[in-house]
Amino acid sequence: GSFGPTLCWSLGGGMGDPTELSLAAAAAEVAAGELSPVELTMAYLERIDGLNPALTAFVEVTADRALADATAR
């Protein structure tokens, strides 16, 4: 299933995909308020949604739980 419209992010003045950030860089972006936990979670859920049918890396994706956890931050 889809998790909504594809989102675009502006990181460091340019367009970027938050799933390409290192964990440290993503944490820094969140701490600086430049990326929200919900935006980061949505980006990963969209990536999983797009790639998992071919990769079958996840048996179960708990998107609702992930978004609830991200919202609580």
Side-chain angles (χ1 to χ4, degrees):
S2 179
F3 297 103
T6 301
L7 303 174
C8 294
W9 292 267
S10 180
L11 302 174
M15 297 303 286
D17 178 354
T19 65
E20 294 180 3
L21 295 171
S22 69
L23 181 57
E29 295 282 343
V30 170
E34 295 176 19
L35 178 66
S36 78
V38 172
E39 290 171 325
L40 185 60
T41 301
M42 286 294 297
Y44 274 104
L45 289 172
E46 289 173 2
R47 184 172 175 87
I48 290 166
D49 189 49
L51 296 176
N52 200 51
L55 298 176
T56 61
F58 294 92
V59 174
E60 181 177 2
V61 177
T62 55
D64 292 338
R65 169 88 186 263
L67 288 171
D69 288 349
T71 302
R73 303 278 183 260

